[in-house]
């Protein structure tokens, strides 16, 4: 049982994750000024679902907070509150608390109660209630009053003391007070819900409207103790709420249990309970949950009944019509979630959502592949000379295979949105810690990259954005002094560029103070005091391990581990980081990453007798060696002049330490490959031959072997042999480091 | 190879192979398979005892020439040279190029006579049928492959 529970809990947390994302999306839309009904409903629904699920698992803290949150959002939904930027900000803050509470329930760090209380007070202030102590006090007394309820009413308890069941608060109901009677079905308890949560919900509603609720428990249906079936639901409750409480907010309390609970809501004409008859006639229902629930005709006018599913359809329609439209979707979402929790198996993170058409495309391609294979087979069986035909078929098969590969890649592709949206929170938190005002703008969230990459982007981006807020953006005073708007701007954008994904983080802060960076680097012993560095090299110093210019180590950054880790993480993904910074205008970080970690378009070349792969994306052109264009530098290295542009010449074989003696072995047959790194720096590789162009599958060798300079990975060729994939940017950087012929603006990746 | 081998926990089945004139053994449970020596792909900046990389059904792994590693004259023309694919305790897979595989033997751990150094590639010596056999410490041999970056 506990195992099942854990499984279900896992599903719940997965759903929370989704709901929180939904919430984030909705709130971002709101803060962008889009206050459509759908958006608000979506936000409301998300919080509501979290609350509903949390209640089923008795996650008290979460339920309480979600409920307050929900109430405030209800104000937004009903139009009582306008989504001003301040209010949206409060909601965003509340969302962070909510997601922390979810994390806490998941076994994470305990959330600071002061933070919860603060956010709760803010939320309550929005809907103009609970200002100050009164609301806070109610909030605290109500649960205390209700705590005994589940214990006493727990149907499995044998030592029932019937006399204690009447549980009444002293406050009498006022005129036209709202009377809610409800009797849970056995099924509700089976599902893990608890009447206690409903009572708490009702009490909260009452408190929210400035009154208190009167709860009476109806025990008439309880059989004698010896006839008591411990698993059955016998009890029902009658709750009198203050007149100010709107019916819809009562519906909200019940809408996620409405299928397993009989509820009637009536406007009572006078104070006090309307006698024992009405609850008594409801007692029939809980004992026989299969029966259609009675839609109680209460003495009051205009009864509105939220009856469970088995009610006659006409009644149901009537209810739908009477209910405001908004709660309907709200009601369906948590129920669906509940069902899903019961039936779906937890699948960890191993699932992805894929557009159907992508799977269809894949299917079509596989069909064609089967046909192509049949055609090949028939050629093989023919007696005559079919070689020409064979070659043609193989060529078409090759094209097909490539298409299939693309299709599979498309299935694995995921938009970077999920990671990008998480960054909003990172920036928000960083802002509140540093008391800065920064707006994060997202661009190109729909850019798709391989799933594995999406997940691995999160940590480096978090670091970089924190740094941007903490170090990049200046304080408001400094900004005003510099003639900028006090609100800082950070742009996080993603896009495709020539087979790679390019992520830029651009802030409009003070830029990198190169003098200070240089001074710090010298102080920390990262570089020699007399070193002469270009601007770009100085910028790159911030990636050096142990580097930090922050005068004080803040909570956010300044310990000098961040950027070093970022660089390592990006390199680990086969990517590069480049910085450009204009003092006084801001800093831009560019992350260039491969679209996938699996496949690469490569040019097969020969060096030192073995076949190697150069990524096609980094090859600019190929040409034969012309000895006239090669000049030797005093230190023994060579540069080659190609149409007037000089670039370092890299004899690949000797560069990789695989024999060959520099230019001495340069023969007429050798080929020059002009290669380029991300920032446009070029170098010429001398190789013995160019064999072919092919797609190769990237295989890591680092698992079983150490990292090799100049080699990024390996692959397996068609003949089964191993071939190395060259790390062109590393080779270029290495060569440029030795031969200082390039203008400084194209030099990259040297310092770190 | 007898029933008591399983019964006595101190007996470890070892695979015995020769490198040059000297015989060595490693626990058979660390051996994945034995295959013929084929052409390897040279790796840049590799230690001199690494022959290169081979493709083992989609996994790329490096082959160590044990003769070079142990400072014995290699026998490039020996047709009985084979590669023993081993997996060390920390999960690293690699191949060991040996001159020939001799047989298997049950070695009582208590019979192994330790050699002095803790981190040497040889953990001890054992006598099997009057032959002195070295017990290789795989973790050391293999660990050097993954350890650290080349510069």
């Amino acid at each position: 049982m506990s195992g099942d529970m854990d499984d279900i809990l896992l599903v719940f947390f997965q759903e929370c994750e989704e709901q929180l994302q939904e919430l984030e999306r909705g709130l971002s839309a709101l803060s962008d000024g889009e206050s459509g009904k759908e958006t608000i409903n979506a936000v409301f629904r998300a919080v509501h679902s979290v609350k509903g699920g949390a209640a089923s698992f008795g996650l008290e803290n979460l339920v309480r907070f979600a409920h307050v949150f929900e109430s405030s959002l209800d104000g937004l939904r009903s139009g009582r509150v306008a989504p001003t930027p301040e209010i949206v900000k409060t909601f965003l803050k509340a969302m962070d608390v909510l997601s922390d509470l979810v994390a806490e329930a998941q076994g994470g760090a305990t959330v600071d109660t002061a933070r919860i209380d603060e956010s709760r007070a803010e939320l309550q202030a929005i809907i103009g209630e609970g200002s100050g102590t009164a609301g806070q006090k109610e909030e605290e007394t109500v649960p205390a009053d209700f705590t005994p309820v589940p214990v006493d009413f727990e149907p499995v308890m044998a030592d029932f003391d019937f006399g204690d069941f009447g549980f009444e608060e002293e406050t009498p109901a006022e005129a036209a007070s709202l009377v809610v009677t409800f009797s849970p079905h056995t099924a509700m308890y089976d599902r893990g819900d608890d009447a206690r949560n409903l009572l708490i919900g009702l009490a909260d509603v009452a408190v929210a409207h400035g009154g208190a609720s009167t709860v009476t428990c109806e025990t008439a249906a309880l059989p004698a103790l010896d006839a008591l079936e411990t698993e059955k639901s016998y009890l029902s409750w009658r709750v009198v709420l203050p007149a100010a409480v709107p019916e819809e907010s009562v519906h909200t309390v019940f809408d996620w249990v409405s299928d397993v609970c009989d509820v009637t809501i009536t406007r009572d004409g006078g104070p006090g309970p309307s006698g024992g008859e009405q609850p008594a006639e409801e007692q029939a229902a809980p004992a026989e949950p299969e029966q259609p629930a009675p839609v109680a005709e209460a003495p009051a006018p205009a009864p509105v009944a939220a009856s469970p599913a088995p009610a006659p359809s006409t009644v149901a329609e009537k209810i739908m019509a009477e209910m405001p439209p908004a709660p309907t979707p709200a009601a369906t979402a948590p129920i669906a979630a509940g069902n899903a929790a019961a039936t779906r198996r937890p699948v960890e993170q191993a699932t992805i959502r894929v557009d159907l058409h992508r799977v269809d495309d894949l299917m079509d391609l596989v069909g064609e592949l089967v046909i192509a294979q049949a055609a090949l087979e028939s050629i093989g069986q023919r007696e005559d000379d079919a070689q020409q035909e064979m070659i043609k078929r193989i060529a078409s098969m090759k094209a097909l295979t490539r298409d299939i590969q693309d299709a599979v890649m498309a299935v694995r592709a995921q938009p970077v949105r999920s990671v990008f949206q998480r960054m909003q929170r990172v920036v928000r938190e960083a802002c509140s810690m540093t008391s800065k005002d920064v707006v994060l703008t997202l661009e190109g969230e729909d850019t798709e990259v391989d799933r594995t990459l999406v997940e691995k982007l999160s940590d480096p981006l978090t670091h970089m954005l924190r740094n941007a807020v903490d170090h990049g953006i200046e304080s408001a005073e400094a900004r005003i002094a510099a003639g900028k708007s006090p609100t800082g701007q950070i742009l996080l954008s993603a896009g495709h560029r020539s087979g790679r994904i390019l992520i830029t983080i651009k802030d409009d802060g003070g830029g990198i103070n190169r003098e200070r960076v240089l001074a710090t680097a010298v102080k920390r012993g990262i570089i020699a005091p007399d070193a002469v560095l270009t601007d770009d090299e100085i910028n790159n110093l911030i990636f050096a391990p142990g580097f930090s210019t922050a005068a004080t180590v803040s909570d956010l950054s300044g310990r000098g581990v961040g950027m070093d880790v970022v660089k390592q993480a990006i390199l680990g993904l086969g990517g590069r980081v480049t910085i450009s910074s204009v003092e006084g205008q801001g800093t831009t970080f560019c992350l260039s990453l491969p679209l996938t970690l699996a496949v690469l378009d490569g040019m097969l070349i020969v060096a030192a007798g073995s076949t190697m792969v150069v990524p096609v994306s980094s090859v600019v052109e190929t040409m034969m060696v012309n000895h006239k264009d090669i000049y030797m530098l005093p230190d023994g290295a060579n540069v080659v002049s190609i149409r007037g542009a000089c670039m370092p010449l890299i004899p690949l074989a000797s560069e990789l330490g695989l024999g060959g003696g520099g230019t001495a072995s340069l023969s007429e047959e050798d080929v020059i490959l002009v290669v380029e790194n991300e920032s446009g720096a070029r170098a010429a590789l001398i190789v013995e031959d160019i064999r072919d162009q092919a797609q190769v599958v990237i295989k890591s060798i680092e698992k079983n072997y150490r990292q090799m300079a100049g080699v990024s990975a390996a692959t397996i060729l068609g003949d089964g042999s191993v071939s190395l994939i060259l790390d062109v940017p590393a080779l270029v950087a290495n060569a440029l480091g030795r031969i200082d012929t390039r203008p400084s603006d194209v030099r990259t990746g040297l310092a770190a | 190879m007898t029933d008591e081998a399983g019964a006595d926990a101190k007996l470890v089945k070892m695979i015995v192979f020769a490198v040059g004139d000297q015989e060595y053994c490693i626990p058979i449970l660390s051996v994945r398979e034995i295959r013929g020596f084929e052409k390897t792909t040279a790796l840049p900046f590799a230690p001199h005892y690494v022959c290169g990389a081979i493709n083992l059904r989609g996994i790329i792994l490096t082959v160590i020439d044990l003769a070079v590693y142990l400072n014995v004259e290699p026998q490039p023309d020996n047709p009985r040279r084979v590669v023993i694919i081993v997996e060390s305790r920390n999960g690293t897979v690699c191949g060991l190029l040996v001159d020939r595989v001799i047989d298997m033997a049950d070695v009582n751990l208590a019979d192994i006579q330790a050699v002095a150094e803790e981190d040497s590639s040889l953990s001890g010596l054992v006598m099997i049928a009057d032959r002195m056999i070295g017990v290789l410490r795989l973790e050391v041999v293999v660990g050097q492959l993954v350890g650290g970056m080349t510069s």
Side-chain angles (χ1 to χ4, degrees), chain A residues 559-610:
Chain A
R559 275 165 304 227
V561 286
M563 294 313 264
D564 170 34
V565 172
V566 166
K567 177 137 187 172
Q568 289 309 320
I570 300 295
L571 288 182
L573 295 174
R576 311 275 148 197
V577 194
T578 52
I579 317 173
S580 60
S581 176
V582 181
E583 198 147 359
Q585 291 179 29
T587 310
T588 307
F589 288 92
C590 271
L591 312 183
S592 159
L593 294 156
L595 277 184
T596 168
L597 306 174
V599 187
L600 170 113
D601 258 316
M603 185 179 278
L604 304 188
I605 53 115
V606 181
S610 60

Side-chain angles (χ1 to χ4, degrees), chain A residues 368-517:
Chain A
E368 281 182 53
L369 187 69
V370 171
I371 296 168
Q373 183 241 343
L376 268 182
E377 231 168 47
S378 73
I379 292 172
Q381 282 159 1
R382 264 160 50 182
E383 298 289 314
D384 57 341
D385 179 37
Q387 194 159 10
Q388 205 59 36
E389 180 76 9
M390 183 81 121
I391 290 167
K392 225 169 77 191
R393 292 286 176 196
I394 288 177
S396 74
M397 194 127 164
K398 196 170 161 189
L400 258 177
T401 318
R402 181 175 276 251
D403 285 352
I404 289 176
Q405 196 169 35
D406 287 349
V408 173
M409 294 299 303
V411 167
R412 287 180 59 90
Q414 298 273 293
V416 290
R417 179 181 290 111
S418 58
V419 179
F420 271 31
Q421 270 178 348
R422 243 177 281 161
M423 294 308 130
Q424 288 282 12
R425 171 174 185 184
V426 170
V427 169
R428 235 173 9 249
E429 284 182 346
C431 283
S432 72
M433 277 189 199
T434 55
S435 336
K436 287 175 186 170
D437 198 10
V438 178
V439 175
L440 175 68
T441 315
L442 301 180
E443 261 177 29
E445 306 107 289
D446 289 324
T447 309
E448 290 191 330
V449 281
D450 198 78
R451 202 184 105 85
T452 45
L453 208 58
V454 173
E455 281 162 9
K456 287 180 179 155
L457 272 177
S458 179
D459 280 352
L461 284 183
T462 305
H463 269 302
M464 297 184 84
L465 282 168
R466 278 191 187 154
N467 266 297
V469 173
D470 201 16
H471 302 311
I473 303 285
E474 322 90 315
S475 66
E477 301 81 56
R479 288 185 66 88
I480 293 169
K484 297 183 197 172
S485 137
T487 307
Q489 297 282 345
I490 298 178
L491 174 74
L492 177 61
S493 72
H496 289 302
R497 209 183 82 182
S498 64
R500 290 175 82 84
I501 175 175
L502 205 69
I503 296 178
T504 52
I505 298 164
K506 186 177 177 181
D507 67 57
D508 68 342
I512 294 174
N513 184 338
R514 295 201 184 88
E515 278 161 37
R516 218 171 108 220
V517 167

Side-chain angles (χ1 to χ4, degrees), chain A residues 609-612 654-658 699-711 714-717 720-724, chain B residues 39 41-47 49-50 53-55 57-62 91-94 144-151:
Chain A
S610 60
T611 309
M612 298 183 187
S654 54
E655 177 77 16
L656 293 175
L658 294 173
K699 301 264 179 190
S700 164
I701 35 177
E702 273 155 49
K703 191 176 156 279
N704 290 322
Y705 191 60
R706 63 184 91 179
Q707 217 176 330
M708 285 174 282
V711 175
T715 188
I716 294 162
L717 299 178
S721 67
V722 177
S723 172
L724 302 174
Chain B
K39 192 182 160 288
T41 301
L43 296 172
F45 309 116
Y49 55 81
V50 170
I54 57 164
N55 160 28
R57 290 183 296 280
I59 303 168
I60 292 172
L61 40 89
T62 42
T92 310
V93 183
C94 79
Q144 286 171 354
L145 279 186
V146 225
M149 270 188 65
T150 51
S151 52

Side-chain angles (χ1 to χ4, degrees), chain A residues 183-187 221-223 229 231-236 262 281-291:
Chain A
S183 46
H185 300 181
T186 310
L222 266 183
E229 281 185 57
E231 303 269 287
K232 261 195 173 157
S233 164
Y234 295 103
L235 301 170
S236 63
D262 296 333
E281 89 190 25
E282 295 226 18
Q283 297 307 310
E288 295 146 299
E290 297 83 11
Q291 276 194 0

